[in-house]
Structures are given as structure tokens and as C-alpha cells.
Amino acid sequence: MDPRSSIIRRRVSGRPLAGTTAPTSSLLLLTPLVDMFTILLVFLLMNYSTGGQLLYMVQNILMPESLSREQLEPTVEVSVAKDKLYVDGVVVIEDLAPWSKPGALLIPPLYETLKVKEQEYKKLEQKAPLFHFSGKVTIQADREIPFQLLKKILFTVDRADFPQISLAVFQKQG
Amino acid sequence: MSPPLGRNSRFLREVHSANVDLTPIMCLFIILVPLLLLTAVFERLAVLKAHLPEASTLRSPSAGESPSPSGIVELRLLIRPDGLELEGTLSHDPDGKEKETYEDFRASFPLVGDRFDLEGLQSHLKNLKARYPRHEKIVFLVEDKVTYDIIVQAMDACREEILEEQGREIRRPLFPSISISEAFREDGVYEGLRQGTRELDEKLGIQ
């Protein structure tokens, strides 16, 4: 038998020839790992976003899906979970249950927080001429909240001089 | 008998030289993959612009008042838990030059199974847009029990239609200027409109 063919067989099978010692180092097959990394890299590059997230993602809020492609802007954020209300990520109302019932449209704690922010922005506008306060607000609300509560939030936000309202949504594919 | 050493060692060298050195590309992957994982966005965000209605948009045109130049005096979408209703006042002349030729219309879109008939609503709006291409405003009158999700879906149906031509997505605006209001009540009581903020403003020291 040709000795070369036995060496080829040994290298293919990875087993040492009878009468020889086992190799101290073995070849690590990196090809499948490189394949996996390449697929992962392509997938991640497709999901890469240079814009970044311009929203405080509050827990327990599942926003509705929309076909809109309008981009988020950095604004004051009002986040409405099923039980809590936040402004710029800070809890303003611990329990929303009393506000989910019929009654007055104005929500005083939300009005006060927004009004303080509005006053701060207006002072900043006087100090920094390049800064312009436009009264923009983004509402990030859970998809299950009733209009009973939403209308109070919209009304209060408008009364606190934030008339440019944007509703944050998840982009629906297709 | 052992094979000639020279030929054999050359053969082994050839086998070894066939391996590509993957270390640099592995280093690159190990840096790039965590970096991209940190910056990956799996849920893309967007916004929908909404307005609150002006007081003048919620009343009917009085006699002698000049109609809207778009031809539609008022377009309203009533959103109820049991369906949608589109109503409005049209002028016969899309240019809005003729006076006192108003026509009220109403179209109902009841639930289909347990889903809102948004396709039916959108096809009706498309016909309306074809007749009155300059009109952009629509007022939503929403009942208290309707969820936020339904409002956003209705906004999607009213804002634009999405067409596909030669594999490309084309978005054609319908009525993108949406105002959200509460539905008219039979008793006509609107607490919010009467509610002042003077006390709160004084508390915060705002003039």
C-alpha cells in the first residue's frame, strides 16, 4: 500500500496511525464559527441605526403599531403606563386609577410638572438666543389605555402650553 | 520500508499551507459583533402628529359663511366601541365657490367580526380624496371606552394609502391633518372646557 495514502487517511480521520503517538495539538475548525459570525454580522448591520433612541423606554408600556415613518425628535416626553404616569422618565402619578374615571379633564400633577418645564425652557430661551422653545411633546402610551384617560392627558398637555403633540408608536413592518 | 522523507515532508507542508489564518478576521468579528449588538434596534420607533381641535371646527357652517376652499366644510370620524362612522358636510363645487349648496353625508362602518372595518373606511376616504384633493383635515370624535390602539389604527387608515408599484412602496396622503376630540355628548356637558388653571398657575407663581 502506498504510505502516502495511509497518511492522508490518518489526517482525514484524525486518528493516529497504529504504533505512533497521538498529536499533542489538534486543529480547531473555525470555518463554521466564521460562517455563523458572518450571518450574525449581516443581520446586525441590517438592524443598525445611526439615529439612536430618542425616547425614555419606560417599563410596562406596549405602544401601538403604526405604518408611520416620521422620525422622533427630542422633546418633553409624557409616558402613560397602565397604572403610572411619567414625565421625562420620572414618576408623576403613582396610581392612574382615579383619573381613568369620568370627571374633570385637567390632571393637576401633570399640569404642574409640565408648566414648571415650560417655564424653565422659556427662561433658557431668554438666556440662549439660539434655543427655541416650540412646545413639542411626545406621548408614549400603552395601547390598552382608554380614551377616557388619554383625552385628559391630551387636554392637560395642551393647557400647559405644549400644543405640538406627537404620539410615539412602534413601526409596523409591511 | 519507510517512504522517502523528502517527498513526504513536502506533501505535509502542502497540506498545512492550505489552511487560511482566520485569527485576524475572528478578532474583527469579536469586536464588531458586540458593538453592533449594543447599537442594534429591533423595534423601530416613529411618531404620529396629532392636534386638538380648534373651537371653530366643531360647529356647523352658518348661512352666508364662506365654505372651505377645499370643498369639504367638515369631515368627522366617530369612533365607537361598536364601529366607525364617517360624516361631514360637502360643498357641491369642489372649488367651494358656490354658496348654500351644502350636502351632509354619513357612512357607517360596523365591526366585521370583532375587527374594525378600516379597509372599508379607507376605500371610502380614497373616493372622497379623489373628489376633493385639496382637503386635508379630519376630526376624530372618540368615545370614552375606545382604546388608544384603535385610535392609532384609525389614524393610519386616514393619513395615507400605501400603494405598491413595480416593487416600490408609494405613500399617497389622504387626510393627514388629524384632530382628536371627545365624542359629542347628549347632555352637552364638557367639564374640561369650563375648567380653569388660574389657581394652579398662582400656586406655581406664573402670571
Side-chain angles (χ1 to χ4, degrees):
Chain A
M1 194 177 80
D2 184 6
R4 267 193 300 176
S5 64
S6 72
I7 290 169
I8 292 166
R9 271 208 309 279
R10 181 172 68 96
R11 295 204 67 82
V12 170
S13 67
R15 284 198 306 272
L17 278 176
T20 58
T21 53
T24 49
S25 65
S26 60
L27 268 176
L28 186 66
L29 272 176
L30 289 176
T31 322
L33 194 65
V34 173
D35 289 350
M36 190 196 74
F37 270 140
T38 311
I39 294 165
L40 199 63
L41 198 70
V42 170
F43 173 72
L44 289 173
L45 275 172
M46 283 168 71
N47 285 300
Y48 182 69
S49 165
T50 49
Q53 297 290 83
L54 298 167
L55 204 66
Y56 287 98
M57 294 304 287
V58 176
Q59 275 189 334
N60 301 328
I61 293 184
L62 186 60
M63 290 188 285
E65 289 187 338
S66 164
L67 294 165
S68 170
R69 294 288 180 270
E70 274 191 67
Q71 294 299 307
L72 279 167
E73 291 174 61
T75 61
V76 172
E77 284 162 27
V78 177
S79 311
V80 195
K82 280 176 190 161
D83 54 343
K84 287 190 178 73
L85 189 136
Y86 307 76
V87 174
D88 282 344
V90 179
V91 180
V92 172
I93 298 176
E94 285 280 355
D95 183 18
L96 274 173
W99 306 106
S100 304
K101 293 171 187 161
L105 283 183
L106 195 80
I107 305 176
L110 176 62
Y111 178 82
E112 285 173 22
T113 312
L114 288 176
K115 207 68 194 170
V116 168
K117 282 200 180 284
E118 189 238 348
Q119 294 296 309
E120 283 171 8
Y121 282 127
K122 283 194 171 161
K123 276 181 196 160
L124 192 64
E125 201 175 26
Q126 286 170 354
K127 285 180 191 165
L130 286 176
F131 177 78
H132 176 62
F133 173 66
S134 53
K136 286 182 183 170
V137 64
T138 305
I139 295 178
Q140 178 193 6
D142 191 275
R143 58 176 72 172
E144 292 299 322
I145 68 158
F147 186 69
Q148 177 100 62
L149 176 61
L150 187 69
K151 71 177 178 187
K152 293 181 183 179
I153 291 160
L154 292 173
F155 177 81
T156 309
V157 162
D158 187 61
R159 289 301 288 266
D161 286 334
F162 286 90
Q164 293 204 42
I165 301 166
S166 300
L167 306 172
V169 287
F170 286 132
Q171 279 186 19
K172 196 192 278 180
Q173 301 301 322
Chain B
M1 188 185 143
S2 62
L5 193 63
R7 271 168 50 199
N8 194 28
S9 60
R10 197 171 65 242
F11 174 72
L12 281 177
R13 217 170 34 243
E14 279 166 11
V15 169
H16 276 291
S17 64
N19 282 330
V20 182
D21 187 11
L22 293 172
T23 321
I25 200 156
M26 287 303 293
C27 292
L28 185 75
F29 278 151
I30 285 166
I31 294 165
L32 267 181
V33 167
L35 177 83
L36 290 173
L37 265 175
L38 285 173
T39 54
V41 179
F42 299 104
E43 283 284 10
R44 291 183 184 274
L45 300 173
V47 290
L48 284 166
K49 301 270 186 227
H51 311 277
L52 295 188
E54 296 157 23
S56 61
T57 59
L58 293 176
R59 63 188 168 86
S60 303
S62 55
E65 191 176 349
S66 64
S68 162
S70 67
I72 299 182
V73 180
E74 184 57 57
L75 190 60
R76 294 182 289 267
L77 178 72
L78 272 73
I79 308 178
R80 298 200 178 106
D82 58 349
L84 306 167
E85 215 166 277
L86 189 69
E87 59 174 36
T89 311
L90 307 173
S91 164
H92 283 293
D93 179 11
D95 291 329
K97 287 172 189 162
E98 289 178 27
K99 286 183 182 177
E100 295 174 24
T101 52
Y102 301 121
E103 173 200 337
D104 287 333
F105 82 97
R106 184 181 282 254
S108 292
F109 305 94
L111 293 181
V112 180
D114 56 349
R115 291 182 64 240
F116 281 79
D117 186 16
L118 297 165
E119 292 83 12
L121 170 71
Q122 197 177 48
S123 73
H124 198 97
L125 289 171
K126 276 186 222 169
N127 294 337
L128 213 55
K129 186 71 182 180
R131 277 176 69 196
Y132 302 97
R134 279 185 289 162
H135 194 80
E136 297 200 326
K137 288 182 186 172
I138 184 165
V139 179
F140 280 17
L141 301 171
V142 191
E143 284 199 358
D144 285 347
K145 284 181 184 165
V146 174
T147 57
Y148 177 47
D149 195 28
I150 302 298
I151 301 170
V152 170
Q153 285 180 39
M155 285 173 90
D156 268 354
C158 294
R159 281 175 67 249
E160 54 191 10
E161 61 169 324
I162 298 175
L163 306 167
E164 214 167 278
E165 276 178 24
Q166 296 167 348
R168 280 171 54 208
E169 188 184 272
I170 296 171
R171 288 169 178 254
R172 198 170 293 165
L174 293 171
F175 300 97
S177 178
I178 299 170
S179 304
I180 302 177
S181 170
E182 62 181 324
F184 294 125
R185 287 196 200 170
E186 284 174 11
D187 56 9
V189 177
Y190 298 97
E191 304 97 338
L193 296 176
R194 291 206 304 263
Q195 196 170 5
T197 55
R198 189 181 293 169
E199 279 180 24
L200 291 169
D201 287 344
E202 280 172 4
K203 192 174 138 192
L204 294 167
I206 299 165
Q207 296 298 315

